[in-house]
Amino acid sequence: MKTITTMYFSPTGASRKIANGIAGGIAGTGTFEQKTIDLTKPQAREKTYEFRSNDILVIGYPVYGGRVPAVLQNVLCGLKGTATPAVLAAVYGNRDYEDALLEGQDLLAEGGFTVLAAGAFIGEHSYSAKVGAGRPDAEDLQAAEGLGIKAAEKISAGDYLEVAVKGNRPYKDPMPDMPFTPKITETCTGCGLCAENCPMQVISRENPTQINTGCILCSACVKLCPQQAKYWDAEPILKIKQMLETKFVERKEPEIFI
């Protein structure tokens, strides 16, 4: 029996939804064992993973400045496949995904995977609820499921040809370091939800108002806080937010590569 492994790094949930949608599309075409690996959890990123030729890997991640997130690059480098078919999903905040799909494909190829299908999908931007608002939505999830179905058809037909995706080599320069952390208002109740969901575990569980170094600006704590007690006030982030809300609010659609 073939195994579908759904793997994702998804601080705010968008990449998880897309990866699950793709895996659901594949699973609906036959009988598969299904596994899930949540790379948002630091412990999961410390493990090693190996896959067989009759496995199918579905992996989703957010785009950081047109690239694979730095925190995920070593993880992808460490995955080991045996001519394992893979489906790749890069989720971006309605601006551009640039080299993120190509870089992900290259990293997986080095580990013995063949990316035979891929997609660039839209998620609500981590800095602004107005950019990609409410994405991924029902139409996005339908597109993700459709990608999964098409990928399954290729596998069933024995077509393991690597798909061509958009992107450039050398990849664009990574985002510059921005050593900022969210600000916290007095409405914080200390519930600890932010600390529990921080992918870098830099928020104190004993005192969630304390954020240590190592923040990757994913905004999980900002978007998940039930009291809306966390927010960004660093000038560089506010400038990016303004630029996004000025230039990139028009809806973009998923791009599918099969």
Side-chain angles (χ1 to χ4, degrees):
M1 179 183 295
K2 289 184 180 293
T3 299
I4 304 169
T5 298
T6 308
M7 180 179 282
Y8 49 79
F9 178 74
S10 188
T12 59
S15 299
R16 169 178 53 81
K17 292 176 183 177
I18 292 297
N20 283 337
I22 295 170
I26 298 173
T29 66
T31 302
F32 300 89
E33 181 181 356
Q34 296 190 60
K35 297 180 180 179
T36 299
I37 299 172
D38 183 1
L39 296 174
T40 320
K41 306 294 184 182
Q43 311 91 290
R45 299 196 298 272
E46 295 171 358
K47 298 179 181 179
T48 57
Y49 301 97
E50 296 185 4
F51 298 87
R52 306 163 298 174
S53 59
N54 64 335
D55 291 331
I56 302 171
L57 175 63
V58 176
I59 182 163
Y61 51 84
V63 175
Y64 269 45
R67 297 283 301 275
V68 173
V71 68
L72 200 59
Q73 291 173 13
N74 287 338
V75 180
L76 296 188
C77 282
L79 298 179
K80 300 300 179 185
T82 308
T84 306
V87 184
L88 198 61
V91 182
Y92 69 104
N94 208 59
R95 185 191 64 83
D96 201 343
Y97 61 93
E98 289 157 316
D99 303 328
L101 268 183
L102 181 63
E103 182 180 18
Q105 184 181 45
D106 288 346
L107 291 172
L108 288 180
E110 291 176 9
F113 297 85
T114 300
V115 176
L116 51 80
F121 295 85
I122 295 83
E124 185 174 290
H125 201 282
S126 56
Y127 296 164
S128 173
K130 297 179 181 179
V131 182
R135 310 284 297 276
D137 57 20
E139 293 180 18
D140 297 317
L141 297 180
Q142 185 176 17
E145 182 180 358
L147 174 58
I149 293 171
K150 291 178 181 178
E153 290 173 350
K154 284 189 69 172
I155 294 169
S156 179
D159 180 3
Y160 286 76
L161 185 66
E162 185 175 65
V163 70
V165 301
K166 289 182 181 178
N168 296 291
R169 302 185 188 93
Y171 316 127
K172 66 171 296 189
D173 291 337
M175 291 176 58
D177 289 337
M178 292 198 292
F180 308 119
T181 57
K183 295 296 184 180
I184 303 160
T185 71
E186 294 180 355
T187 60
C188 174
T189 63
C191 71
L193 188 65
C194 57
E196 179 183 346
N197 287 280
C198 175
M200 305 307 291
Q201 297 293 282
V202 296
I203 302 176
S204 169
R205 290 181 180 270
E206 293 73 28
N207 178 15
T209 63
Q210 179 183 334
I211 304 176
N212 300 310
T213 57
C215 174
I216 60 171
L217 315 181
C218 72
S219 293
C221 61
V222 175
K223 291 191 180 280
L224 296 177
C225 178
Q227 304 299 323
Q228 298 183 323
K230 286 187 169 64
Y231 66 98
W232 295 107
D233 79 336
E235 185 175 352
I237 294 179
L238 294 180
K239 286 183 177 179
I240 294 172
K241 181 174 181 287
Q242 182 181 23
M243 178 273 293
L244 292 167
E245 292 178 352
T246 301
K247 297 182 179 181
F248 296 104
V249 292
E250 184 176 348
R251 181 183 178 93
K252 293 188 176 181
E253 298 299 337
E255 291 186 52
I256 302 300
F257 304 91
I258 190 76

